[in-house]
Amino acid sequence: MHAKIYFTEFASPIGRLRLTGDGAAITGVFMESERHDSIQARGAVRDAAPLREAQRQLEEYFAGERREFSLELAAAGTDFQRQVWQALREIPYGVTASYGDIAKRIRNPNAVRAVGLANGRNPISIIVPCHRVIGANGSLTGYGGGLERKSFLLALEKRVVAQ
Protein backbone atom coordinates (compact mmCIF):
# COMPACT_ATOMS: atom_id res chain seq x y z
CA MET A 1 0.00 0.00 0.00
CA HIS A 2 1.30 3.43 -0.94
CA ALA A 3 1.36 6.37 1.42
CA LYS A 4 -1.14 9.08 0.63
CA ILE A 5 0.35 11.94 -1.37
CA TYR A 6 -0.85 15.49 -0.77
CA PHE A 7 -0.38 18.48 -3.02
CA THR A 8 -0.96 22.19 -3.08
CA GLU A 9 -0.19 24.96 -5.52
CA PHE A 10 0.75 28.56 -4.87
CA ALA A 11 1.92 31.62 -6.76
CA SER A 12 5.62 32.49 -6.68
CA PRO A 13 7.81 35.03 -8.50
CA ILE A 14 8.65 32.29 -11.04
CA GLY A 15 5.05 31.20 -11.63
CA ARG A 16 2.82 28.66 -9.91
CA LEU A 17 4.62 26.02 -7.88
CA ARG A 18 3.15 22.64 -7.01
CA LEU A 19 4.31 21.03 -3.78
CA THR A 20 3.81 17.33 -3.10
CA GLY A 21 4.41 15.43 0.10
CA ASP A 22 3.39 12.38 2.08
CA GLY A 23 2.54 14.19 5.30
CA ALA A 24 5.98 13.51 6.79
CA ALA A 25 8.30 14.67 4.00
CA ILE A 26 8.33 16.77 0.84
CA THR A 27 8.39 14.60 -2.29
CA GLY A 28 8.29 17.29 -4.97
CA VAL A 29 8.48 20.97 -5.90
CA PHE A 30 7.39 21.43 -9.50
CA MET A 31 7.14 24.48 -11.72
CA GLU A 32 4.52 25.15 -14.38
CA SER A 33 5.50 23.66 -17.74
CA GLU A 34 8.36 21.73 -16.19
CA ARG A 35 9.58 18.92 -18.41
CA HIS A 36 9.50 16.34 -15.63
CA ASP A 37 6.10 17.03 -14.18
CA SER A 38 4.83 15.43 -11.01
CA ILE A 39 3.62 12.01 -12.09
CA GLN A 40 3.06 11.15 -8.45
CA ALA A 41 0.57 14.02 -8.09
CA ARG A 42 -1.93 12.01 -10.11
CA GLY A 43 -4.23 10.51 -7.52
CA ALA A 44 -2.86 12.89 -4.89
CA VAL A 45 -5.17 14.66 -2.48
CA ARG A 46 -5.30 18.47 -2.59
CA ASP A 47 -4.56 19.53 0.97
CA ALA A 48 -2.33 22.49 1.82
CA ALA A 49 -2.08 21.69 5.56
CA PRO A 50 0.67 19.01 5.37
CA LEU A 51 2.67 21.29 3.03
CA ARG A 52 2.20 24.60 4.85
CA GLU A 53 5.72 24.66 6.35
CA ALA A 54 7.35 23.96 2.97
CA GLN A 55 5.29 26.71 1.35
CA ARG A 56 6.24 29.12 4.16
CA GLN A 57 9.95 28.34 3.75
CA LEU A 58 9.77 28.75 -0.03
CA GLU A 59 8.00 32.11 0.37
CA GLU A 60 10.76 33.20 2.78
CA TYR A 61 13.36 32.08 0.20
CA PHE A 62 11.72 34.19 -2.53
CA ALA A 63 11.55 37.16 -0.13
CA GLY A 64 15.32 36.86 0.42
CA GLU A 65 14.80 35.90 4.08
CA ARG A 66 15.86 32.23 3.92
CA ARG A 67 19.10 30.73 2.63
CA GLU A 68 18.70 27.17 3.90
CA PHE A 69 15.67 24.91 4.07
CA SER A 70 14.92 22.76 7.11
CA LEU A 71 12.44 20.27 5.73
CA GLU A 72 12.25 16.50 5.68
CA LEU A 73 12.73 15.38 2.06
CA ALA A 74 11.86 12.08 0.39
CA ALA A 75 12.79 12.22 -3.28
CA ALA A 76 12.07 9.08 -5.27
CA GLY A 77 15.10 8.08 -7.31
CA THR A 78 17.96 5.65 -7.75
CA ASP A 79 20.82 5.46 -5.25
CA PHE A 80 23.02 7.39 -7.71
CA GLN A 81 20.39 10.11 -8.20
CA ARG A 82 19.93 10.50 -4.45
CA GLN A 83 23.71 10.76 -4.04
CA VAL A 84 23.80 13.58 -6.63
CA TRP A 85 20.80 15.33 -5.04
CA GLN A 86 22.53 15.20 -1.63
CA ALA A 87 25.63 16.78 -3.20
CA LEU A 88 23.43 19.53 -4.66
CA ARG A 89 22.18 20.35 -1.15
CA GLU A 90 25.81 20.96 -0.14
CA ILE A 91 26.28 23.78 -2.68
CA PRO A 92 26.15 26.95 -0.57
CA TYR A 93 23.48 29.58 -1.17
CA GLY A 94 24.59 32.07 -3.81
CA VAL A 95 27.36 29.77 -5.10
CA THR A 96 27.39 27.77 -8.33
CA ALA A 97 29.12 24.50 -9.18
CA SER A 98 29.71 22.63 -12.43
CA TYR A 99 28.56 19.12 -13.27
CA GLY A 100 32.24 18.12 -12.98
CA ASP A 101 32.42 19.63 -9.49
CA ILE A 102 29.44 17.50 -8.44
CA ALA A 103 30.94 14.37 -10.04
CA LYS A 104 34.15 14.95 -8.03
CA ARG A 105 32.16 15.65 -4.85
CA ILE A 106 30.46 12.23 -5.12
CA ARG A 107 33.89 10.65 -5.84
CA ASN A 108 32.94 9.65 -9.37
CA PRO A 109 34.82 12.19 -11.56
CA ASN A 110 33.99 10.38 -14.83
CA ALA A 111 30.23 10.55 -14.19
CA VAL A 112 29.77 14.14 -15.44
CA ARG A 113 27.05 13.20 -17.96
CA ALA A 114 25.26 10.94 -15.46
CA VAL A 115 25.40 13.80 -12.91
CA GLY A 116 23.76 16.05 -15.52
CA LEU A 117 20.98 13.53 -16.09
CA ALA A 118 20.41 13.06 -12.33
CA ASN A 119 20.41 16.84 -11.87
CA GLY A 120 17.71 17.11 -14.54
CA ARG A 121 15.57 14.50 -12.78
CA ASN A 122 15.62 16.26 -9.40
CA PRO A 123 11.98 16.26 -8.25
CA ILE A 124 12.47 18.80 -5.44
CA SER A 125 13.57 21.91 -7.30
CA ILE A 126 14.74 25.02 -5.43
CA ILE A 127 14.97 23.19 -2.06
CA VAL A 128 17.45 20.77 -3.68
CA PRO A 129 19.21 23.55 -5.61
CA CYS A 130 19.79 22.08 -9.06
CA HIS A 131 19.59 25.68 -10.35
CA ARG A 132 23.07 26.25 -8.86
CA VAL A 133 24.67 23.82 -11.33
CA ILE A 134 26.13 25.51 -14.40
CA GLY A 135 28.32 24.52 -17.33
CA ALA A 136 32.08 24.13 -16.86
CA ASN A 137 32.55 27.35 -18.84
CA GLY A 138 30.21 29.27 -16.52
CA SER A 139 27.26 29.22 -18.91
CA LEU A 140 23.70 28.56 -17.81
CA THR A 141 22.83 25.08 -18.99
CA GLY A 142 19.50 23.31 -19.24
CA TYR A 143 16.97 23.63 -16.45
CA GLY A 144 13.69 21.73 -16.22
CA GLY A 145 11.87 24.92 -15.27
CA GLY A 146 13.45 26.92 -18.11
CA LEU A 147 16.60 29.04 -18.26
CA GLU A 148 14.72 32.25 -17.41
CA ARG A 149 13.68 30.73 -14.07
CA LYS A 150 17.21 29.44 -13.42
CA SER A 151 18.56 32.92 -14.16
CA PHE A 152 15.97 34.48 -11.80
CA LEU A 153 16.89 32.13 -8.93
CA LEU A 154 20.65 32.70 -9.34
CA ALA A 155 20.13 36.49 -9.54
CA LEU A 156 17.93 36.42 -6.41
CA GLU A 157 20.62 34.58 -4.44
CA LYS A 158 23.38 36.86 -5.76
CA ARG A 159 21.37 39.94 -4.76
CA VAL A 160 20.69 38.62 -1.24
CA VAL A 161 24.36 37.66 -0.71
CA ALA A 162 25.45 41.15 -1.88
CA GLN A 163 23.22 42.91 0.71
Side-chain angles (χ1 to χ4, degrees):
M1 172 158 158
H2 288 79
K4 189 177 278 188
I5 296 291
Y6 302 96
F7 79 97
T8 190
E9 295 178 334
F10 69 99
S12 83
I14 57 171
R16 290 194 69 70
L17 293 179
R18 181 185 313 125
L19 301 179
T20 60
D22 62 11
I26 300 304
T27 58
V29 177
F30 300 96
M31 300 172 197
E32 286 178 299
S33 71
E34 195 165 350
R35 284 183 320 207
H36 307 300
D37 202 358
S38 171
I39 293 163
Q40 65 184 343
R42 293 188 201 126
V45 176
R46 183 184 287 272
D47 186 350
L51 302 160
R52 199 161 279 129
E53 179 60 17
Q55 181 175 337
R56 184 181 70 75
Q57 289 190 28
L58 282 161
E59 288 169 343
E60 289 172 353
Y61 169 85
F62 286 118
E65 299 163 359
R66 175 174 291 275
R67 294 179 183 214
E68 290 182 29
F69 293 92
S70 56
L71 297 165
E72 204 58 46
L73 306 180
T78 66
D79 288 343
F80 179 81
Q81 287 171 328
R82 286 196 299 274
Q83 191 178 12
V84 169
W85 300 336
Q86 181 54 46
L88 297 178
R89 294 188 71 195
E90 295 164 10
I91 304 170
Y93 181 94
V95 174
T96 56
S98 71
Y99 296 104
D101 294 334
I102 301 299
K104 288 181 194 122
R105 187 170 286 170
I106 64 168
R107 293 183 169 82
N108 197 341
N110 296 325
V112 176
R113 289 181 71 133
V115 163
L117 291 170
N119 193 60
R121 299 299 301 189
N122 170 27
I124 307 179
S125 62
I126 305 168
I127 296 170
V128 176
C130 52
H131 62 276
R132 295 182 190 149
V133 181
I134 59 173
N137 64 359
S139 66
L140 293 189
T141 53
Y143 186 61
L147 289 182
E148 53 296 324
R149 286 188 180 111
K150 181 174 189 159
S151 180
F152 177 93
L153 295 170
L154 292 174
L156 167 72
E157 293 183 8
K158 193 174 192 175
R159 203 168 46 248
V160 170
V161 167
Q163 290 175 351

